[in-house]
Amino acid sequence: MIRPDAPVLLEITGLHARVEEQQILNGVNLIVRSGEIHAVMGRNGSGKSTLSKVLAGHPAYTITEGSITYLGSDLLELAPEQRSRLGLFLGFQYPVEIPGVSNLEFLRVSTNARRAQRGEEELDTFAFEDLVRERLKVVQMDPAFLNRSVNEGFSGGEKKRNEILQMALLEPLVAILDETDSGLDIDALRIVADGVNQLAGPDNATLLITHYQRLLDLITPDYVHVMAAGRILRTGGKELALELERTGYEWVDQELANLGREPAEVL
Amino acid sequence: MPAVVMPNTADWLSQLAGVPMPARGQEDWRFTELAALQGLAPELWSGVDPFAQINLPAGISRIGADEAQGLQQQGLNSTGGGNVWSVRLNQGASPRCLALRVAGEAGPLQLHFDAGAAPGLLALQLVLVLEEGASLELLIQHGSSGPNATSFVVVAQLARGAKCNLGLLAPGDARASLLSHLSISQAPASSLQVTTAVGGWALSRLEPCIIQLEGAAQTRLRALQLVDGKELADTHSQVSFEGPDGQLDQLHKVVADGAGRSVFNGAVRVPRRAQQTNAAQLSRTLLLSERARVDTKPELEIVADDVKCAHGATISRLQQNELFYLQSRGIGAEQASRLLLRGYCEEVLRELPAAAAALNPLELLLRERL
């Protein structure tokens, strides 16, 4: 929902970033206000996933220029765990398997870290089990997954549901979902999209990073941004996604050529 | 009982064993410094016989001394364990012996040997016979709080269809040593799991030697060894298949910190008569310090041509992607490292016999690192 007077949660200005020696982001500008759902689209290698990792504070990426302001503070000053505690959430494209660490214990420690930041009391094992069982419904997940190791042996769809479960527990202010739709069959996609829709509200914002229109059939974005060569090339409403579905990304090369840039490398 | 004081000569251990102490020139001891043993006070442990007061669950009975000796000799002959230095030392050190026969489905058994703070050498033997179709879950705990050494030899026979789940949980002391040899022979259709978790000893040496007498048995080995400070932990395992259709699933995990040293040598022998063997061995090391040293070596002798034998060895630090994933969920770097370390160990510890859970093995082994 677009409300021009809604508070700004996230403001990215002139962001340049590289990984090792490769420059990937070349001046990203984006303002996200509460209540909004943004979709970031673009081809492989356009910088979408890098943007999400930079926002979450992945140590492999170096910011060379620009700024990110989150809730009025400099996000780049914060460690990844502090960003999470303050309500920034990254749903991973490839959720990591951690053998030996119980999913339930992981979810509890994580939830309590966020609660402590908000001045709420920590939940003991019993109170947390009550909470998690209620939130499991958001993604229609089997409680048996709580007793397994984090993501270990989960199918692609189960991993993505586990990500949305974490989102449901952490109640983020800004949720960045990096290709949450990739590798999902149609039923899993619907469940995940339902979960995101249930969690989106007037006081938070969602950034969906995706290749495909099909996720946006289920979650209606307020803004669609097209990324190419490490910047946002065009911004529009949900109709822009439909247009991309029809025309593909070839116009992007033309537009980049007009700007005198190399086309994005297709990985 | 007064302590048996040995002649105070530098080579009293060699005299007990009847052969010189292993030297670094011997392949089996190439990476294993025995300095911790050389400083050992020349005394044989004289505490209360740890086997006198054991309540045996139904299905388990004691075997007489003469029969036990015969069974032990027979077991050691089949694996070749009789010539191993650690076994010879044990036999020369007036060991106390517990010999048990298991019939049917026996209740779980727990044995706890704590060498305590007394100096010297404690020698123990365990002889186990699992009759046809018998099953046993056995947890053995070792401990120490002083400058001593525990020498422990297990000889076990699994008859056809027998099932044995053997766990060895050994949190040690930085002044103490543990030498543990296991010779286990398996008849066809028997199933064996050995889970060992060892950490905190100045020197530990584990020698699981398993022989599938005619193949067609299942062997599952799980091991965790932790070294820190100047500790040295060594595992030399050996699994031999003497017939077709045998299975082995072996995972050996190491955590190496401080200036600790870890040695793993995993021998698997698959002669021509052992066709259709399916054996997998994986050695994984978590290296937490620049000064720690790890020597890991699979030793596969495969002559049969129709077999599946897989092996792998990894040495790594904490995985950055795992750390970042936890951090991105609000878990601080230090706590995330602890969680990952616990998880790494838990993969083995959760396979110890059920009785171990109440002992909190993670806490016993990791202590302040938790």
Side-chain angles (χ1 to χ4, degrees), chain A residues 21-199:
Chain A
E21 292 311 307
Q22 196 180 0
Q23 191 71 30
I24 298 188
L25 296 184
N26 292 300
V28 175
N29 295 301
L30 181 66
I31 293 179
V32 178
R33 293 174 190 275
S34 67
E36 295 174 351
I37 297 178
H38 293 245
V40 178
M41 304 185 73
R43 286 196 291 217
N44 282 335
S46 59
K48 306 186 301 292
S49 281
T50 295
L51 177 61
S52 70
K53 291 198 180 91
V54 165
L55 285 169
H58 195 291
Y61 297 85
T62 311
I63 314 299
T64 50
E65 226 182 295
S67 67
I68 307 176
T69 306
Y70 174 67
L71 307 179
S73 305
D74 183 356
L75 183 74
L76 301 177
E77 289 293 307
L78 301 175
E81 59 268 27
Q82 291 169 307
R83 300 180 193 198
S84 165
R85 291 173 198 161
L86 289 167
L88 190 89
F89 177 85
L90 171 62
F92 280 58
Q93 182 178 5
Y94 302 110
V96 179
E97 294 190 18
I98 310 183
V101 175
S102 121
N103 201 27
L104 186 65
E105 173 73 357
F106 159 67
L107 294 170
R108 191 173 73 88
V109 172
S110 168
T111 304
N112 277 335
R114 171 97 172 104
R115 288 178 67 88
Q117 180 74 38
R118 295 205 280 190
E120 296 165 356
E121 64 174 320
E122 290 200 359
L123 297 175
D124 63 25
T125 323
F126 300 106
F128 181 72
E129 278 220 48
D130 291 343
L131 176 70
V132 79
R133 277 173 192 277
E134 176 210 313
R135 298 292 155 91
L136 278 171
K137 294 177 196 152
V138 173
V139 281
Q140 300 175 32
M141 214 163 125
D142 185 340
F145 285 101
L146 298 173
N147 298 322
R148 309 233 313 241
S149 294
V150 178
N151 292 323
E152 192 186 25
F154 287 27
S155 71
E158 288 156 358
K159 283 181 183 169
K160 296 297 171 79
R161 284 201 229 182
N162 204 30
E163 293 292 287
I164 305 302
L165 173 64
Q166 291 166 45
M167 181 175 157
L169 288 164
L170 296 174
E171 301 176 349
L173 294 171
V174 174
I176 304 144
L177 302 177
D178 188 6
E179 308 226 3
T180 296
D181 49 340
S182 68
L184 294 187
D185 64 31
I186 199 74
D187 291 329
L189 182 68
R190 188 181 43 75
I191 290 166
V192 163
D194 273 358
V196 174
N197 282 327
Q198 287 174 58
L199 299 170

Side-chain angles (χ1 to χ4, degrees), chain A residues 43 228 233-234 248-264:
Chain A
R43 286 196 291 217
L233 205 59
R234 195 188 282 184
Y249 286 101
E250 276 176 16
W251 59 271
V252 167
D253 296 333
Q254 190 55 47
E255 208 150 313
L256 284 175
N258 294 343
L259 288 168
R261 282 197 175 275
E262 291 296 304

